[in-house]
Amino acid sequence: MKKWLRKWRLASVLAVLALVLSGCGEPFLSALKPAGEVAKQQYDLILFSLGIMTLVIIVVVVLFTIAVVRFRRKNDKEIPKQVEGSHLLEIIWTVIPIIIILVLAVPTVAATFSQGDVSAMDKKDEDGNRENLVVNVRAHLYWWEFEYEDLGILTSQDLVIPTDQKVYFNVESADIKHSFWIPPLGGKLDANPENVNKFFLSVDQDKADDVNNIFYGKCAELCGPSHAYMDFKVKAIPQDEFDQWVADMQNAEEPVPTSELAQKGEEVFNKSCMTCHAVTPSNDKPKTARTAPNLADFGNRETVAGILEHNEENLKEWIKDPEQFKPGNKMTGAYPDLKDDELDALAAYLMELKVSNE
């Protein structure tokens, strides 16, 4: 008996912890803390579905309790009244689930078609320019590329978007299947190598203010040993700040090192890194030639490799042995002969890659 009670208490504690911890989540990474129109609509559907399912559970438990208490067998000699072939009951327990499914289906289907309507992404003004912002998202092993095709801008790992408006996305993959997901902004969308998927997201300015304008995005499709580290950052800013960012990126020129160490680092970069990496945000290369992240404005990024705190020490550790941080990445073994002084110089040069001094 005591052993049974101990197990029951343990199960009760675990159940309470599961309930409490399920409500935990940071606003920059939680789907349960919606920060935009799409996420809010999906969140409302979740609550609506949970409400109906909770009601069903309550009704079933009540009916079960009534049946157990009221119609329990009182003695071994009495045989309960045998009831079978009730057409009324059969109709009731067939019709009720159909009604529940319809109640769930109507708002779900309506939201699906509403959020799947991306016709506005091709609308153009009198000058032939798109009226809405469109970002081409391309997933790689294990990093993200963001192309603002209409603006002539290409970035990696940091997605910058304006708040309080719909932003449309073309999502695809450069290698295997991935999934593009920004939990507080909306559901995930598969990134496939054979086709382009499209959808839109939006961010409310007040929600962006709550997280200092930074949200976290992830790959939501198991894609290899470093799937869990395939992160990116989303910087959601007001329209005027976004316009300034666009102007800075469009007017960016070839970086000029300011220190002697960084000048030496530029030489190392040109000899060892330039084949794969670019340092300006122009998208003049065809997408098939973009085999490594664009490093424009690297000095202003939030992280190194999407997962490490942004500082020189972490950058040098990443360059020296990226395999220890992201197993299976394509950069492993690229710099086997890099000396310590060259590594210091290269890190100094990369940290100076800033389109604007933020």
Side-chain angles (χ1 to χ4, degrees), residues 118-153:
V118 293
S119 57
M121 71 189 304
D122 293 322
K123 287 185 178 179
K124 297 183 178 181
D125 57 23
E126 296 177 353
D127 298 325
N129 300 316
R130 276 199 179 108
E131 295 181 355
N132 297 289
L133 177 64
V134 177
V135 181
N136 298 331
V137 178
R138 198 160 182 251
H140 300 255
L141 289 170
Y142 297 92
W143 56 280
W144 296 88
E145 176 185 289
F146 305 110
E147 179 186 16
Y148 304 75
E149 187 176 2
D150 297 330
L151 304 175
I153 297 172

Side-chain angles (χ1 to χ4, degrees), residues 9-145:
R9 288 172 182 170
L10 179 61
S12 300
V13 171
L14 292 176
V16 171
L17 282 175
L19 181 63
V20 173
L21 293 176
S22 66
C24 298
E26 298 291 349
F28 52 78
L29 190 58
S30 176
L32 300 180
K33 296 185 177 181
E37 174 190 348
V38 173
K40 183 64 169 63
Q41 192 174 24
Q42 293 173 354
Y43 180 71
D44 290 343
L45 280 175
I46 292 173
L47 294 182
F48 180 66
S49 302
L50 287 175
I52 291 178
M53 287 184 282
T54 302
L55 179 62
V56 169
I57 291 173
I58 291 173
V59 171
V60 170
V61 170
V62 169
L63 292 176
F64 176 78
T65 303
I66 292 174
V68 169
V69 174
R70 185 175 177 182
F71 300 103
R72 71 186 185 278
R73 190 171 181 175
K74 296 185 172 110
N75 57 67
D76 294 337
K77 297 180 181 179
E78 182 180 346
I79 298 176
K81 180 181 178 181
Q82 303 300 299
V83 179
E84 59 185 31
S86 174
H87 294 298
L88 178 61
L89 284 176
E90 291 174 0
I91 291 173
I92 289 175
W93 64 51
T94 301
V95 170
I96 289 179
I98 293 175
I99 293 175
I100 292 174
I101 290 173
L102 288 174
V103 170
L104 285 169
V106 170
T108 302
V109 171
T112 300
F113 277 91
S114 172
Q115 295 185 5
D117 182 10
V118 293
S119 57
M121 71 189 304
D122 293 322
K123 287 185 178 179
K124 297 183 178 181
D125 57 23
E126 296 177 353
D127 298 325
N129 300 316
R130 276 199 179 108
E131 295 181 355
N132 297 289
L133 177 64
V134 177
V135 181
N136 298 331
V137 178
R138 198 160 182 251
H140 300 255
L141 289 170
Y142 297 92
W143 56 280
W144 296 88
E145 176 185 289

Side-chain angles (χ1 to χ4, degrees), residues 43 67 76 95 97 111 117 137 148 152 154 162 187 209 226 228 244 246 269 272 275 289 296 308 323-324 326:
Y43 180 71
D76 294 337
V95 170
D117 182 10
V137 178
Y148 304 75
L154 184 70
D209 292 337
S226 290
Q244 183 60 54
V246 170
F269 182 89
S272 305
T275 303
L308 302 175
E323 189 71 13
Q324 68 171 313
K326 284 189 175 182

Side-chain angles (χ1 to χ4, degrees), residues 25 46 106 135 149 185-186 192 233 253 264-265 269 282 353:
I46 292 173
V106 170
V135 181
E149 187 176 2
L185 306 190
N192 302 318
K233 300 295 178 292
E253 299 178 352
K264 181 181 177 181
F269 182 89
S282 59
L353 296 179

